[in-house]
Amino acid sequence: MKKILITLVAAALAVPAMAQMTPEAVMGMTPDLPSTAALLGDWRAANSPGDVDVPDSDVINKFMEAWNRANDQIQDMQAKTLAPSLQRSAMGGKVAGTNKTVSQVAGMSEAEAKAMAMAGLSSRLSSMGLSQADFARLQGSELSEEEAKAMASKVMAAQTGGLTAKDIEAMSNMTEEQRAQFMQESGLGASMTAKMNAGRGQRASNQKQYQLVTEMSRLGQEELRLQNKATNMIESAKKEGIALFDRKYRKTDEAMQEEIHQAVLAEEDTAENGGAAHEAAMARVKAACIQWFEYRSKFYEEYLPSYRNAVAGAMDCCRAELLPVQRQRQDIQEQLYALTQSAEYALSENIPFNAAYLYFELSEKITDYNLDSNL
């Protein structure tokens, strides 16, 4: 399958101010599929014995000429509209773990980037109650058990608002009333409540982000299922066509090909002497070839409607099933970007066009209808 890694946001080829491009518009650029009768005519024109008068056919060539023109137009629009738009979106997103945009980070010197990384590390360590010196000691291999416990206690205190392992040990043998009094007198009750209230908004944001990421993952899996469904429809139609030939046509077809072989041998045997025997042998070859051609045409007449329906069905799967799922994923990603401003979620506009590109790519499969090499 040809990969058209493109996304469109506006069509601006010949007319500078054209309405915003949509996936439906991209799909509308796809040439109409040739009819079943046209495909059958194409096969007959390509395989007809010289003595069978069939119309010339260039249906496949015309389709591919139109398909290639549309492909060129799509790629031209990509260069004119997608690249600048996506670049702006990507450069405006924030680099993970920083408050800087991709554009700002890209313009930093090596020293500035290193300083930013160190500042980010210090901020994360501070939120855990640790210093860079603590972090260096944690990376070493000589930290004693007591030192490790002390580090863990510092992290606990930072996360809870002051509660340490020593406090937990002290309260382990207290009654409920004693624990309440201890929390009040030590100030832990107030500090822990303040910590909890301060983190409530962040926890809500984290929960929302988790829900959105989970839903986006589910939609991504559904997209993959539908993409496979669309492509498998065409491959299944081919397999069913071969099964049809095996079941209904192969035995007679092979007998006809054997008759052609024998007729050709007879024609070769009589060629040197010529005369009536040779003329009869040539007539036998002609009749055998015409008989096989018409019989094989009957197979394609029965098979081609199923194949064309499979290609059209695969394309419709992209339009009617895949596109709505991708619009949902676009909406989820836009919510994630609004929540995080992360560059990871900055390119949501790209998503719903993937269904249109697959739709366009699958249309080319109509030219691959011929099963002769598999029969």
Side-chain angles (χ1 to χ4, degrees):
M1 181 185 296
K2 294 179 181 177
K3 299 299 178 185
I4 310 173
L5 302 177
I6 52 178
T7 307
L8 309 175
V9 291
L13 276 176
V15 182
M18 188 177 288
Q20 183 178 7
M21 201 67 175
T22 65
E24 291 82 0
V26 175
M27 294 178 187
M29 295 168 66
T30 305
D32 292 337
L33 298 181
S35 67
T36 299
L39 293 175
L40 179 61
D42 182 78
W43 185 88
R44 286 177 62 84
N47 293 276
S48 172
D51 297 302
V52 177
D53 186 19
V54 296
D56 291 335
S57 173
D58 61 352
V59 62
I60 297 300
N61 287 336
K62 285 184 176 180
F63 176 83
M64 285 308 305
E65 286 173 1
W67 193 93
N68 285 325
R69 283 195 301 272
N71 187 33
D72 290 343
Q73 185 179 14
I74 289 170
Q75 294 193 51
D76 192 40
M77 285 190 288
Q78 175 196 17
K80 291 181 177 179
T81 63
L82 172 65
S85 175
L86 291 186
Q87 185 178 22
R88 285 192 298 270
S89 297
M91 297 302 281
K94 291 182 179 178
V95 176
T98 76
N99 197 35
K100 302 289 186 182
T101 66
V102 172
S103 178
Q104 290 171 325
V105 172
M108 287 182 176
S109 66
E110 184 177 350
E112 289 172 328
K114 184 176 180 179
M116 183 188 70
M118 293 301 295
L121 175 61
S122 295
S123 177
R124 290 192 293 275
L125 288 173
S126 178
S127 69
M128 298 170 64
L130 300 176
S131 65
Q132 290 195 24
D134 292 329
F135 181 66
R137 290 171 64 197
L138 282 171
Q139 289 184 307
S141 59
E142 299 178 357
L143 200 65
S144 69
E145 184 176 348
E146 288 302 317
E147 289 175 321
K149 286 182 179 179
M151 291 275 192
S153 186
K154 289 176 69 174
V155 172
M156 180 186 296
Q159 298 295 317
T160 62
L163 185 68
T164 66
K166 187 177 293 186
D167 294 326
I168 293 175
E169 183 179 357
M171 289 188 291
S172 62
N173 296 318
M174 293 181 184
T175 65
E176 288 293 333
E177 291 78 7
Q178 289 172 329
R179 277 196 290 269
Q181 184 178 359
F182 175 79
M183 293 287 286
Q184 183 178 358
E185 292 178 351
S186 65
L188 279 173
S191 64
M192 290 178 68
T193 299
K195 180 69 175 180
M196 184 177 298
N197 290 337
R200 184 173 296 160
Q202 185 60 47
R203 286 196 301 274
S205 176
N206 290 343
Q207 178 66 18
K208 179 64 174 177
Q209 185 174 343
Y210 172 78
Q211 292 171 347
L212 290 172
V213 169
T214 300
E215 177 63 7
M216 190 166 70
S217 176
R218 185 193 69 80
L219 290 170
Q221 292 175 359
E222 179 66 4
E223 286 180 53
L224 181 60
R225 184 188 71 81
L226 291 171
Q227 289 167 1
N228 289 335
K229 174 184 175 181
T231 54
N232 287 340
M233 288 172 72
I234 299 174
E235 293 306 311
S236 294
K238 288 184 176 182
K239 292 177 182 177
E240 290 168 7
I242 295 171
L244 169 67
F245 186 83
D246 289 340
R247 182 176 66 253
K248 188 173 178 180
Y249 292 90
R250 184 173 296 281
K251 185 176 180 180
T252 300
D253 189 272
E254 289 178 346
M256 289 180 174
Q257 291 191 59
E258 178 60 23
E259 168 59 15
I260 293 174
H261 177 67
Q262 295 300 325
V264 169
L265 291 178
E267 190 274 334
E268 290 174 349
D269 288 342
T270 59
E272 185 174 351
N273 295 328
H278 186 236
E279 290 181 4
M282 289 191 297
R284 180 184 173 187
V285 171
K286 175 181 175 180
C289 289
I290 292 174
Q291 185 182 35
W292 172 84
F293 169 72
E294 295 296 348
Y295 190 74
R296 184 64 73 92
S297 293
K298 287 178 62 178
F299 162 70
Y300 276 101
E301 188 175 2
E302 184 172 357
Y303 160 67
L304 283 172
S306 297
Y307 184 75
R308 188 186 185 282
N309 286 342
V311 175
M315 293 166 66
D316 191 61
C317 177
C318 295
R319 180 190 59 79
E321 298 182 63
L322 180 58
L323 179 58
V325 171
Q326 292 187 331
R327 288 197 188 280
Q328 291 180 54
R329 189 160 72 87
Q330 179 189 22
D331 179 65
I332 296 295
Q333 188 160 318
E334 286 174 352
Q335 292 183 56
L336 281 165
Y337 184 76
L339 193 64
T340 66
Q341 297 298 303
S342 172
E344 179 182 2
Y345 305 118
L347 305 181
S348 59
E349 64 188 296
N350 180 53
I351 296 171
F353 286 92
N354 292 326
Y357 307 143
L358 183 58
Y359 177 100
F360 180 76
E361 291 172 4
L362 290 177
S363 70
E364 190 190 14
K365 292 294 184 180
I366 198 64
T367 66
D368 194 26
Y369 71 85
N370 194 327
L371 288 180
D372 285 354
S373 62
N374 301 108
L375 301 180

